[in-house]
Amino acid sequence: MEPILHEFGSLLLRWAHIIAGMAWVGASFYFMHLDAALRPAADIPADKGGEAWEVHGGGFYQVKKYLVAPSHLPEHLMWHKWESYTTWITGMLLLVWTYYYQATLFLIDPGVMALTPLTAFLIGVGGIAFGWVFYDLVCRSPLGKSAVATGGVVFVFVVAMAYFFQHVFSPRGAFIHTGAVMATIMTANVFLVIQPNQRKVVAALKAGLPPDPKYGKAGKLRSSHNNYFTLPVVFLMMSNHYPLTYSTPYAYVIVALALIGGALIRVFFNQRHGGNGNWWWCWGVAAACLVAAVAICATTSPAARAALGLPSLVTTAEAAPTTEVNVPAPVQDIVMGRCAMCHMAEPVYEGIAIAPRGILLDTPEAIARNKPLILMQAVLTHAMPPNNVTEISPEDRAVLKAWATAP
Ligand code: HEC
């Protein structure tokens, strides 16, 4: 029962997380576009806002922006914050559900560092909290006055966090935590800076006082950071399903390239929507980042090197230590005979270049570690082997079942 509940819990959380994320990213793109598209309005002084006309869904919209606020508090005010909060809440639940609850499976790689699930959890949550504290200090420091200086420091910081996570967690655990640090900064920007500032402006309006423009400015700075973070964060969240992206020893460089490429694509759109011309060079640099990332992955991940016929970079002495585990011989035989040809460091199955989903099933240790996944993929469902290409028999599945469900 438990694996089934776990599987459906994971599905529901991921579903909610993606939907909330789409709403949030969509709103972020929309407001950046709107801000860039504002033109002078007859009834608003030039430096106090502007207006934009839009056509959508069978009608025309006239949207006006008042900087920092209109003269009086409107009766109906729509807030945009729950898109962000629900994305973060579902994301954290998903992190707990997948990476902390099943830490030995997804987060802890004894070949990197033999953590206990509790230490791994504390490092993960601690790292995420530290990320926000550091970023917020940078924005509030004198550096925060320069958008370029802040951007530079934040960039180096995120890459450093990726480097750190890479040296404590499994490769995919490191990627997801780097993404979680950035995503937490984004939501905390909304929760701890943008929203409180907007509430101060609303309070001033209610009191009939002129609101301080500094609140609007700080909010806009943080919301621009969020906008530049969007594409790299979505990349980091997705790339977990593509083991080639994180199985290189230079995974932190891949993070750096995703940050540069993703941010530049946003720069292109923000400039274009602002009527500042087409900054096509942004796409050129973003494409160069992508090519560099592919080249690094292909030439430095062990499996990709093997697939390309390049000599291995890992010497036997450096190879991850394997611990003795007790997997019954018949189970080992089945998995080695029906699964390992695809799920090994250097797969031998025609057309498979790298272990699918990064799942290795080629040593007793790896088989023991992946017990819950084997149960789900080959016993409870018959998703594996795909279309039963390696012809696993019902008797073999029964043997796997007895082993995987034994207490
Ligand atoms: C012909 C190659 C091949 C064989 C043989 C094979 N697999 Fe897979 N396996 C794949 C591919 C491809 C995927 C990725 C599927 C996807 O992306 O949806 C995968 C994914 C998986 C996953 C990850 C599923 C997920 O979504 O997280 C597990 C676990 C797994 N296989 C276990 C097994 C087991 C156990 C066996 C043997 C009983 C097996 N596989 C045999 C190719 C194979």
Side-chain angles (χ1 to χ4, degrees), residues 338-339 342-343 349 356-357 359 361 373 377-378 384-386 389-390:
R338 311 286 171 187
C339 317
C342 296
H343 293 281
Y349 194 88
R357 295 284 159 93
I359 309 274
L361 299 172
L373 293 182
Q377 299 289 328
M384 286 293 140
V389 282
T390 50

Side-chain angles (χ1 to χ4, degrees), residues 7 106 172 241-243 334-343 347 349-352 354-361 370-379 383-392 397 400 403:
E7 178 93 343
F106 294 121
R172 66 176 273 189
H241 303 283
Y242 298 91
I334 295 168
V335 177
M336 295 291 187
R338 311 286 171 187
C339 317
M341 59 282 278
C342 296
H343 293 281
Y349 194 88
E350 178 79 42
I352 304 261
I354 179 165
R357 295 284 159 93
I359 309 274
L360 295 177
L361 299 172
N370 288 304
K371 195 189 215 179
L373 293 182
I374 296 175
L375 176 66
M376 181 52 68
Q377 299 289 328
V379 178
M384 286 293 140
N387 294 327
N388 204 6
V389 282
T390 50
E391 296 173 352
I392 188 168
R397 290 202 203 263
L400 293 182
W403 163 70

Side-chain angles (χ1 to χ4, degrees), residues 58-81:
F60 289 78
Y61 295 76
Q62 185 185 18
V63 187
K64 289 183 178 176
K65 177 168 184 173
Y66 296 85
L67 268 174
V68 53
S71 53
H72 64 283
L73 186 66
E75 211 173 305
H76 299 290
L77 194 55
M78 262 171 78
W79 292 75
H80 290 270
K81 53 186 179 178

Side-chain angles (χ1 to χ4, degrees), residues 15-373:
W15 195 21
H17 183 56
I18 291 174
I19 293 167
M22 290 192 312
W24 183 17
V25 172
S28 160
F29 283 7
Y30 173 76
F31 281 106
M32 288 298 283
H33 189 165
L34 183 61
D35 257 346
L38 291 175
R39 298 290 175 265
D43 54 342
I44 306 176
D47 57 339
K48 295 281 177 212
E51 70 179 352
W53 279 94
E54 296 173 76
V55 57
H56 183 82
F60 289 78
Y61 295 76
Q62 185 185 18
V63 187
K64 289 183 178 176
K65 177 168 184 173
Y66 296 85
L67 268 174
V68 53
S71 53
H72 64 283
L73 186 66
E75 211 173 305
H76 299 290
L77 194 55
M78 262 171 78
W79 292 75
H80 290 270
K81 53 186 179 178
W82 277 103
E83 297 94 323
S84 167
Y85 302 164
T86 32
T87 307
W88 188 81
I89 293 167
T90 49
M92 287 313 278
L93 289 174
L94 197 52
L95 190 65
V96 171
W97 198 265
T98 313
Y99 287 89
Y100 298 147
Y101 179 69
Q102 293 183 302
T104 46
L105 209 50
F106 294 121
L107 186 56
I108 301 168
D109 181 343
V112 178
M113 194 178 274
L115 300 168
T116 64
L118 179 65
T119 6
F121 166 75
L122 293 175
I123 294 175
V125 187
I128 292 170
F130 171 73
W132 163 251
V133 172
F134 182 87
Y135 162 86
D136 192 47
L137 284 175
V138 171
C139 289
R140 288 177 199 274
S141 76
L143 271 180
K145 298 219 172 14
S146 152
V148 176
T150 327
V153 172
V154 171
F155 169 76
V156 173
F157 173 67
V158 172
V159 176
M161 287 301 281
Y163 186 82
F164 165 73
F165 285 135
Q166 198 187 327
H167 289 84
V168 289
F169 290 152
S170 70
R172 66 176 273 189
F175 253 38
I176 204 78
H177 275 84
T178 310
V181 163
M182 295 175 71
T184 299
I185 289 176
M186 292 168 72
T187 293
N189 269 339
V190 177
F191 187 61
L192 298 173
V193 178
I194 301 173
Q195 286 295 324
N197 282 2
Q198 273 168 359
R199 279 196 295 272
K200 283 178 198 148
V201 170
V202 166
L205 285 179
K206 276 191 185 151
L209 299 167
D212 189 334
K214 78 172 185 210
Y215 294 125
K217 254 192 216 128
K220 182 66 196 163
L221 176 76
R222 304 288 182 123
S223 116
S224 312
H225 286 167
N226 280 6
N227 189 257
Y228 293 123
F229 267 16
T230 321
L231 299 193
V233 167
V234 174
F235 170 82
L236 286 175
M237 299 293 166
M238 278 176 49
S239 57
N240 274 284
H241 303 283
Y242 298 91
L244 210 45
T245 56
Y246 56 73
S247 48
T248 153
Y250 301 102
Y252 62 96
V253 180
I254 305 299
V255 171
L257 291 169
L259 282 169
I260 300 172
L264 280 177
I265 293 174
R266 287 311 307 155
V267 168
F268 170 83
F269 282 108
N270 294 340
Q271 294 300 337
R272 182 190 170 92
H273 295 158
N276 303 332
N278 289 320
W279 290 34
W280 288 111
W281 65 266
C282 294
W283 281 102
V285 180
C289 289
L290 187 70
V291 171
V294 173
I296 292 172
C297 292
T299 53
T300 60
S301 342
R305 283 186 72 83
L308 294 174
L310 301 169
S312 168
L313 293 173
V314 186
T315 60
T316 355
E318 285 174 43
T322 46
T323 38
E324 279 302 310
V325 286
N326 184 17
V327 175
V331 171
Q332 287 193 37
D333 290 347
I334 295 168
V335 177
M336 295 291 187
R338 311 286 171 187
C339 317
M341 59 282 278
C342 296
H343 293 281
M344 62 200 294
E346 295 170 10
V348 292
Y349 194 88
E350 178 79 42
I352 304 261
I354 179 165
R357 295 284 159 93
I359 309 274
L360 295 177
L361 299 172
D362 55 350
T363 59
E365 197 271 332
I367 296 173
R369 255 162 79 83
N370 288 304
K371 195 189 215 179
L373 293 182

